[in-house]
Amino acid sequence: MIALTLAEIAAVVGGELRVAREDTAETVVDGIVDTDSRMMEPGSIFVAKPGAETDGHRFVGAAVEAGAVLAIVEHVVDVPVSQIVVPDSVASLGDLAREVVARVRAGGGLRIVGITGSNGKTTTKNFLARILEDEGETVAPVRSFNNEVGAPVTMLRVTHGTRFLVSEFGAAAPGSIAHLAGLVTPDVAVVLMVGMAHAGGFGGIEATATAKAELVAAAKSSGTAVLNVDDSRVSAMQELARSRGMRVVGFGQGTAADVRAHDVQVTASGTTCEIESAGERMPLRLQVLGAHHITNALAAIAAAGVLGVPLADAVARLETVEIAERWRMQPLGGDRVRIINDAYNASPDSMAAALRTLAQITGPDERTVAVLGAMSELGESAGEEHDRIGLLAVRLNIQRIVVVGPEARRLYLAAVGEGSWDSEAVHLPDQDAAFEYLRTELRDGDRVLVKSSNSVGLRHLGDRLGELFS
């Protein structure tokens, strides 16, 4: 974080300052800011966040032992450290992020990109960060830090030397993206897609589209909307962007795209296509598996182009990316049995894309095995969407369908109903049972996809299988 005095921080968050030790109101703090006491280091600021399972106030002492010099709390804690008492510590985290980013931006050198979409946010963020880091100091979230805590924590990492801030915005509820994007008012708003992910929490896909459009509405009116014109709901956001005076750059594979992919090919070693932008054409060879990641690459290239990065540089840097992120189409195992661990998250769209990738990269003498768990947060559509994935797996001729957990049983029943008989489809109660089954069932030449929502935890099964067959 940039250097601020304790008095300045208290004023920003609207809290009561209680100094301790040898501190005064003019004591300067410039360390990292986090809600996790384990992340503290000398000079840090610890934000005590209440939670459903535990309370951050219990860890103020541990944070101080690790080096924290200031705690933002909702009540005074009996620990010898300066404290700022606020009504809502999470809201204060956002207030502090807004002020810090505004001060850095006032220097004129900071450009901000916001990214949202039902799928692909983290991969696109990683792609764009890789492109921009060679241009100058770039701050981007670790993992999927895209909520009311993770997004501000990332924003607070900016310094006066930061050239680019890449923010990822998730939507826990209507208004979430508007709030988070409103903290920084992005120069570039990237919307990837509108799908069924989290649709249950919004009341349907049209409400999800409205939530994603909040990013366009919150961006600078002099900024640029980078939109997936292959997705009709995202493409419709062009009207909103232009009504606000924003420039629009479209990406996709259709003729309406300004940044376009041609001839997409998927193999076991990666994904290739030809990129067309502003009259230039050049090949892109991604090491990352899956045709759906071409969409994410196009978004990153388009956003980078808005920020002045030449196409050739963007492509060259993307080609160095080995995996999108841990547990996202991550290759594991060895030559005998290859595991694709894609179980960090799952929606109907990403599940279908992963299954298609599995089918595309498996040779005629190899066997496809899909280890599938439940997709979360689909609301009333959950049953229908699990049915659809079960049907798709059979129609793609996935030769072994291993369904894990009671919440995914309907996927299994749909696969059986579609004709996956004679142990081609099995249903197992949990990942331990699945591991015991797979350790004897898998054989040389198998190509195995492990896919589920994060809450199901199949990413850990994928890791175990990867270690077993490495």
Side-chain angles (χ1 to χ4, degrees):
M1 189 186 78
I2 63 172
L4 296 172
T5 66
L6 296 181
E8 286 177 310
I9 297 172
V12 168
V13 302
E16 177 187 353
L17 174 62
R18 300 202 176 193
V19 296
R21 299 174 176 169
E22 299 177 356
D23 290 344
T24 70
E26 299 308 309
T27 297
V28 174
V29 181
D30 62 358
I32 65 167
V33 184
D34 211 301
T35 61
D36 188 339
S37 61
R38 297 166 297 183
M39 300 300 295
M40 294 294 100
E41 55 189 44
S44 300
I45 301 172
F46 177 65
V47 180
K49 180 178 75 71
E53 298 180 2
T54 188
D55 186 343
H57 294 81
R58 296 173 51 201
F59 299 95
V60 173
V64 172
E65 289 180 6
V69 296
L70 174 65
I72 297 178
V73 296
E74 294 184 4
H75 59 78
V76 175
V77 179
D78 187 18
V79 174
V81 66
S82 292
Q83 300 174 38
I84 298 175
V85 185
V86 297
D88 185 327
S89 59
V90 173
S92 295
L93 184 65
D95 292 338
L96 186 58
R98 179 190 290 109
E99 178 68 14
V100 166
V101 171
R103 292 193 184 202
V104 173
R105 200 176 209 169
L110 179 65
R111 303 291 299 280
I112 300 172
V113 181
I115 300 171
T116 195
S118 298
N119 299 112
K121 295 184 294 296
T122 299
T123 299
T124 303
K125 171 262 298 183
N126 288 341
F127 283 168
L128 182 57
R130 174 62 193 93
I131 295 171
L132 296 178
E133 65 185 14
D134 286 357
E135 300 291 316
E137 182 181 311
T138 300
V139 171
V142 296
R143 300 187 296 278
S144 293
F145 275 26
N146 60 25
N147 63 10
E148 61 180 355
V149 172
V153 163
T154 299
M155 296 167 187
L156 284 163
R157 288 167 43 208
V158 301
T159 69
H160 288 295
T162 303
R163 282 194 62 192
F164 304 104
L165 169 63
V166 180
S167 287
E168 177 183 340
F169 300 129
S176 295
I177 294 173
H179 167 68
L180 295 174
L183 297 178
V184 294
T185 316
D187 300 284
V188 182
V190 181
V191 186
L192 300 169
M193 66 172 298
V194 175
M196 289 300 296
H198 314 300
F202 289 93
I205 196 165
E206 296 304 331
T208 302
T210 299
K212 302 306 179 186
E214 291 173 8
L215 176 56
V216 177
K220 273 190 172 183
S221 58
S222 59
T224 302
V226 175
L227 304 176
N228 180 0
V229 291
D230 290 347
D231 184 310
S232 61
R233 293 181 176 87
V234 177
S235 184
M237 297 177 196
Q238 294 182 72
E239 182 178 352
L240 170 61
R242 292 194 171 105
S243 73
R244 301 190 63 242
M246 298 178 71
R247 175 189 173 202
V248 174
V249 174
F251 64 90
Q253 296 184 46
T255 56
D258 301 296
V259 181
R260 186 178 175 192
H262 301 269
D263 192 25
V264 177
Q265 302 290 328
V266 180
T267 70
S269 60
T271 311
T272 65
C273 69
E274 188 171 60
I275 302 292
E276 178 182 0
S277 177
E280 289 187 85
R281 290 178 74 124
M282 63 182 52
L284 170 66
R285 298 175 180 85
L286 280 181
Q287 297 182 61
V288 181
L289 299 176
H292 52 298
H293 286 309
I294 292 297
T295 298
N296 302 328
L298 289 171
I301 290 168
V306 171
L307 297 172
V309 181
L311 177 62
D313 291 344
V315 166
R317 294 165 194 172
L318 282 179
E319 291 183 338
T320 69
V321 178
E322 295 181 358
I323 63 170
E325 180 95 349
R326 186 183 180 191
W327 300 318
R328 286 179 167 88
M329 299 302 286
Q330 182 181 7
L332 298 171
D335 292 336
R336 291 176 49 242
V337 177
R338 294 181 185 173
I339 312 295
I340 303 171
N341 193 353
D342 193 36
Y344 186 84
N345 224 328
S347 68
D349 296 303
S350 68
M351 186 79 83
L355 285 169
R356 291 190 182 99
T357 299
L358 176 65
Q360 288 170 326
I361 68 171
T362 303
D365 298 325
E366 300 169 341
R367 185 174 67 158
T368 49
V369 181
V371 183
L372 308 176
M375 301 175 288
S376 303
E377 301 181 60
L378 296 178
E380 294 180 356
S381 301
E384 178 183 342
E385 293 299 332
H386 282 88
D387 287 349
R388 188 169 70 85
I389 295 301
L391 297 177
L392 177 64
V394 176
R395 291 169 184 174
L396 288 171
N397 196 30
I398 305 300
Q399 292 153 285
R400 285 290 184 273
I401 302 171
V402 181
V403 181
V404 184
E407 299 86 355
R409 181 172 174 78
R410 190 156 164 177
L411 191 160
Y412 162 74
L413 294 174
V416 172
E418 186 67 6
S420 189
W421 307 322
D422 298 328
S423 300
E424 290 178 357
V426 298
H427 181 244
L428 299 165
D430 53 44
Q431 59 176 289
D432 286 335
F435 180 77
E436 291 304 319
Y437 171 80
L438 290 164
R439 69 187 301 170
T440 57
E441 169 66 20
L442 295 180
R443 66 193 191 202
D444 288 3
D446 282 350
R447 303 296 175 253
V448 185
L449 169 70
V450 182
K451 182 74 173 169
S452 75
S453 282
N454 193 26
S455 59
V456 179
L458 290 196
R459 63 194 185 281
H460 303 302
L461 173 62
D463 286 343
R464 293 170 70 187
L465 293 170
E467 183 177 354
L468 179 65
F469 292 103
S470 63

